[in-house]
Amino acid sequence: MSLQVTIEKKLGDFFLKAEMETVSGRIGILGASGCGKSLTLKCIAGIETPDRGRIRLDDRCLYDSEKKINQKPRERRLGYLFQNYALFPAMTVEANVAAGLRGSRREKKERTAQMIGRFRLEGLEKRLPGELSGGQQQRVALARIMAYEPELIMLDEPFSALDVYLKEQLQQEMKEMLREYPGTVVLVSHSRDEIYQFSDYLFVMEQGRVIRSGKTREIFADPGNRIAARLTGCKNISPARKTGEFQLYAPDWNLTLQTERRVSDRVKYVGIRAHDLEPGEQERETNCLPCRIGVVTEAPFETVYLVNCPDREAQVWWKVPKNRLDSEGPAGMPAYLYLPPKRLLLLEE
């Protein structure tokens, strides 16, 4: 199933210009709050109307400003799962699931019962949303969406308001419930972990624009630009100056770095993820940082070190799983940290 979106929308001082095209069944849209992710979904769903452009789902045109096509939300056959699930508070579970169904009373009753069983809601039919747990509310919302067999499901920050334990539990339930869904799923999130788990194809957004697109795992491995690197979790980024075909200088770290890939003239930054730094006792000619620990932060399963850069105010983040360091050196600290050439991220502006 293909999704094509080329739209422009001005909302107050904010301007959205989204261009997306993919045939993937599991799509992620990653970006910081206010970058235009949810507005893009609302335009696809028909809740908001773009100023111009077009939206196509397979061979169906949902919106085309030139051809004066703008299908109503109900006609688009799309499912939209809001962050708070948007259940009707005064309606029972079975009434919420049946909302929006067409057909005879018997057909709607049979379809509702089918969804109640599929989403493990037996025994909850007469309860109101306020009497349900977060996981149960999520299943009711999904059952309501799936009842009318949408061609595309959009998930708008569905886990952002949950605590860590409940979030992980509901993420697993969501993946299980969507496992056999044949249509396209679009997940909007500012969480790189959620995006990585749920999507095969990724669009990275910043200030109303798509700044990077491609296969999710390929973008995490090579973000391509500074903003995408930040959004995918890279904390160590320095300006860079090309000094050779396979070499550059990072002034923030006061380091000369050898690279595995050829350095393009467009490369303006270099990055490395905090868990990719390698401890060592021998100093190397390049890619080697003296391990002068500044701040140490203990987490349940890892330790985060802020390493002071030589003759600079900048620091480098180094994340180490518990029990990884041996007992050599003071407090188990290595003398140097090595930045492997194959782990360096070459980033454009």
Side-chain angles (χ1 to χ4, degrees), residues 65-79:
S65 58
E66 291 185 0
K67 297 180 180 179
K68 308 299 182 184
I69 297 173
N70 187 17
Q71 290 188 347
K72 296 178 180 179
R74 188 182 184 90
E75 298 170 343
R76 300 192 182 198
R77 301 200 301 274
L78 310 179

Side-chain angles (χ1 to χ4, degrees), residues 149-182:
E149 300 178 324
E151 295 181 16
L152 180 146
I153 292 176
M154 295 177 289
L155 310 175
D156 193 354
E157 299 274 10
F159 311 109
S160 62
L162 304 174
D163 62 61
V164 174
Y165 174 77
L166 185 57
K167 179 184 296 187
E168 293 179 350
Q169 180 183 358
L170 296 191
Q171 284 174 350
Q172 295 304 316
E173 287 191 11
M174 178 81 79
K175 284 194 289 186
E176 187 64 31
M177 286 185 285
L178 294 174
R179 189 183 302 278
E180 298 179 2
Y181 174 63

Side-chain angles (χ1 to χ4, degrees), residues 289-306:
L289 180 71
C291 188
R292 300 168 183 168
I293 302 298
V295 179
V296 180
T297 303
E298 293 281 346
F301 306 108
E302 66 181 7
T303 304
V304 179
Y305 300 94
L306 288 183

Side-chain angles (χ1 to χ4, degrees), residues 1 4 72 129 185 201 284:
M1 180 173 290
Q4 298 174 316
K72 296 178 180 179
V185 178
Y201 198 89
R284 308 190 193 192

Side-chain angles (χ1 to χ4, degrees), residues 251-255 288-290 292 307-314:
D252 279 5
W253 306 336
N254 196 18
L255 281 181
C288 199
L289 180 71
R292 300 168 183 168
V307 182
N308 297 320
C309 298
D311 304 318
R312 297 291 188 274
E313 293 183 1

